[in-house]
Amino acid sequence: MSSEEINVAFYCSHIAKHTAQANENVMIYGPAVMNAEVICYKDDWEDVKTVGVGQGREQEKRLAEENYPQIEAFREVTQKGILYALEDRQVDAVIQDVTKAAQTSHYDSLPLSENDHISYVLVVDKDFAGTEAFADFIKSYNEAVRKLNRPAYLSERLGVKESWLEDKSIEFLTLEESEE
């Protein structure tokens, strides 16, 4: 997708920063999701020493190090190979987005951090941000946020039991309407 085709996109916060710096036509509009990552593991948590993490996910590494001092090493793995690395015991645990973790809810999981952190931000084409279509998008987005922040609704959308979400602190954030 070329930069001209991007009107609205959700990016991990660290990737968004690089995207906005590399393309003067886009801007970070605001934070969209907090606490969206979890650490998934197969065996005993006490035995977790090496964690698989998506390539370039420095914020996730930093949060895991700060919150779980037992972690000794990280292995960068492609998103496509991250569960294979866990299943094949190349790593003891993996850091995943909660939506991916829900697809493998048979693994045990822990929140990535006990402190709130921004996981995803909204990146918008600057010209698009001032349009009526974007204002309509923000209204629809905020309506979806209100639904997704209800555990019963989110668990249904993710295809997991509501109890699976109990230790997850994921929060979808409303976005302010543009003043332009």
Side-chain angles (χ1 to χ4, degrees), residues 10 31-33 137-151 153-154 170-175:
F10 293 94
V33 185
F137 164 78
I138 293 294
K139 288 176 187 168
S140 296
Y141 171 85
N142 286 339
E143 188 176 308
V145 162
R146 286 186 276 285
K147 290 179 182 178
L148 288 167
N149 280 330
R150 294 193 326 254
Y153 183 81
L154 181 58
I170 187 169
E171 183 177 346
F172 296 86
L173 305 172
T174 56
L175 294 168

Side-chain angles (χ1 to χ4, degrees), residues 36-114:
E37 305 86 6
V38 296
I39 299 179
C40 299
Y41 58 99
K42 281 180 72 165
D43 301 317
D44 293 327
W45 174 249
E46 295 75 30
D47 296 333
V48 171
K49 303 291 182 216
T50 303
V51 175
V53 62
Q55 295 170 323
R57 304 288 179 120
E58 296 304 317
Q59 175 180 307
E60 293 174 2
K61 286 183 196 177
R62 183 182 53 75
L63 289 169
E65 284 177 320
E66 289 172 3
N67 287 276
Y68 302 104
Q70 76 191 56
I71 297 173
E72 297 173 358
F74 292 93
R75 286 197 54 205
E76 287 196 5
V77 183
T78 65
Q79 284 302 314
K80 288 184 177 184
I82 203 158
L83 287 178
Y84 177 79
L86 179 60
E87 209 42 54
D88 197 43
R89 300 194 188 285
Q90 296 172 27
V91 295
D92 305 316
V94 295
I95 299 173
Q96 294 191 98
D97 177 276
V98 73
T99 60
K100 301 279 191 242
Q103 296 171 7
T104 56
S105 60
H106 59 282
Y107 291 123
D108 290 321
S109 63
L110 294 170
L112 180 59
S113 175
E114 60 187 41

